[in-house]
Amino acid sequence: MYVRARKSGRPKLQLHHAPVEIERKFLVTNDEWKQLAVRSVKLRDGLIAAYKDRKVRVRIAGDDVATVAVKGPRIGIAQAEFEYEIPIADAERMLSTICRDDTLEKERFFVEDAGETWHVDVYSGILEGVVIAEVELKHESEQPILPRWIGKEVTGDPYFKKINMRARALNAHRER
């Protein structure tokens, strides 16, 4: 999770994470969430490697934070995740040389609703039109109150994994 902090008078996104990510993902049914968004950040994600249920990705958040993340297999709604800040120049080079066409762009909105901070990802580029909301939980048994703009849960649904959505979009683009 990214939290805005001040350092030397300049806003900066700082990482705060545990070695386990517990999250649920949902489709978004309408635009009511937009009125509740407190801020947003543009993200560029690149897939470096994927093997079975494990992956390594690089991300640039806004203009001031770059990370590399190693994610383990998902067990229920939990997943081992290790994320480290890296120099922006290294991330740019990884995106352009290693990831190339495996880069996705989205704007992540931070939405305060029903006592939670929801991340609403609005994709652009090859996934234009895809909007997915996720909420990070403290423990697996936590049951968040679902806002009215939340639709079908897609946690763990392979159809909604980014790698699969991207592959379908590329195939559709090629068939045109």
Side-chain angles (χ1 to χ4, degrees):
M1 174 170 50
Y2 299 95
V3 177
R4 193 165 285 281
R6 295 245 177 223
K7 185 177 181 181
S8 303
R10 179 174 161 243
K12 179 177 169 123
L13 292 172
Q14 293 183 339
L15 292 173
H16 293 276
H17 64 86
V20 175
E21 176 183 63
I22 303 169
E23 70 179 7
R24 292 175 61 188
K25 295 183 179 192
F26 300 85
L27 298 180
V28 174
T29 60
N30 61 58
D31 289 343
E32 288 180 33
W33 62 270
K34 288 181 179 180
Q35 300 167 7
L36 304 167
V38 294
R39 64 187 175 91
S40 71
V41 63
K42 292 198 184 280
L43 302 174
R44 287 187 292 148
D45 287 344
L47 185 62
I48 293 172
Y51 177 73
K52 296 187 179 181
D53 292 338
R54 295 164 279 184
K55 70 179 179 181
V56 178
R57 72 138 164 80
V58 62
R59 169 178 285 167
I60 297 177
D63 294 326
D64 60 352
V65 174
T67 60
V68 66
V70 179
K71 294 188 175 201
R74 186 171 292 285
I75 300 170
I77 63 172
Q79 177 177 38
E81 178 180 29
F82 300 89
E83 189 168 29
Y84 305 95
E85 192 165 346
I86 62 173
I88 295 277
D90 290 356
E92 289 286 3
R93 185 145 184 206
M94 287 181 205
L95 286 172
S96 66
T97 61
I98 298 171
C99 303
R100 289 182 267 172
D101 295 336
D102 284 330
T103 300
L104 296 176
E105 295 184 12
K106 62 187 175 185
E107 186 166 2
R108 172 165 287 171
F109 292 86
F110 297 84
V111 179
E112 302 289 336
D113 198 355
E116 301 286 351
T117 299
W118 293 80
H119 298 166
V120 178
D121 291 338
V122 178
Y123 287 85
S124 55
I126 193 80
L127 292 182
E128 182 81 37
V130 174
V131 181
I132 294 183
E134 57 187 49
V135 62
E136 292 189 16
L137 306 172
K138 292 175 184 63
H139 50 83
E140 292 182 59
S141 60
E142 186 178 346
Q143 294 296 319
I145 297 169
L146 303 181
R148 293 186 323 204
W149 46 270
I150 290 292
K152 174 185 172 185
E153 182 165 6
V154 296
T155 306
D157 184 337
Y159 187 85
F160 292 98
K161 289 179 101 174
K162 281 187 273 189
I163 194 167
N164 295 335
M165 289 190 301
R166 184 186 166 282
R168 283 193 309 277
L170 283 175
N171 286 338
H173 182 73
R174 285 183 195 126
E175 292 173 1
R176 288 184 211 165

